[in-house]
Amino acid sequence: MMVQRRTVGLALGAGAIRGFAHIGVLMALTEAGIPIDYVAGSSVGSLIGAAVCRGFSTDEILKLSDEFRWRRIARPTWWGQGLVSFAPLETFINRFLGAPRFDDLSIPLAVVATDVDRDEMVVITEGAVAPAVRGSCSVAGLVSPTPWEGRRLADGVYVNAVPVSVARAMGADYVIGVDVLKPSLRPNWGLVSHLVNAFEIALRHSGGGTESADCLITPDIGGFTYLRYSKRGEMIERGKRAAEEKIPEIRAAVFGESGG
């Protein structure tokens, strides 16, 4: 008798440039034949998730990442709510993904953002994808909030860094969380190192995804940059390596396999 597989949700976490590690994770899952039925994304996880749900292959996502530069997604703003605006990010997404709406996607996507006025999580699953992703990526204080349906949206990291609960609510039986906020003390930073490390610890646990995932993939990128591209290749490789280590566990859970 054929055993029906469990439906799989992928919760892609926040982490700015560290989100390149998500690409490596996707490579490993694809090569292992792990299906993805639902995707929930927070911050950069929503951007990578949008490409996945649009039907892009890992090679296509990798090529898309080659086009990703701060000057293409941000512009200075002087209106007091952020140093830059991510309005160009909407243009970037629409250009490369074809201005998708959520109902155009081949895999269901949920984008997590923070309502800065109501102090609450916003989960977006309808309408245009680009403004939702922009809102989810808008780091409060650095990036001006994104206007969306009468709300002002900021980065999803503040309310749900690895949105496992959202993927589960979408209908996933088994949720794989990808955490790219691994904290690390940076000896050369002095006292600032402890402050940054504490901030990373607090953010990565927001929403409880690191504790509630059925499988948590945490690439070994503690101490890596959040802003520069110089380690992009290494982050992708470490993401792939971390996911490959979990493949037997995932296959056993999803397909009921008893071994490698």
Side-chain angles (χ1 to χ4, degrees), residues 80-147:
Q81 297 184 18
L83 299 177
V84 299
S85 166
F86 270 180
L89 177 59
E90 287 193 44
T91 303
F92 179 90
I93 293 168
N94 287 332
R95 175 186 172 193
F96 288 101
L97 299 188
R101 297 180 67 81
F102 281 88
D103 55 9
D104 296 326
L105 303 176
S106 57
I107 299 172
L109 171 69
V111 172
V112 175
T114 303
D115 184 319
V116 296
D117 298 304
R118 302 180 189 180
D119 181 26
E120 65 184 22
M121 180 170 70
V122 179
V123 179
I124 306 172
T125 59
E126 298 179 340
V129 171
V133 172
R134 172 189 168 188
S136 184
C137 293
S138 295
V139 181
L142 298 177
V143 183
S144 55
T146 297

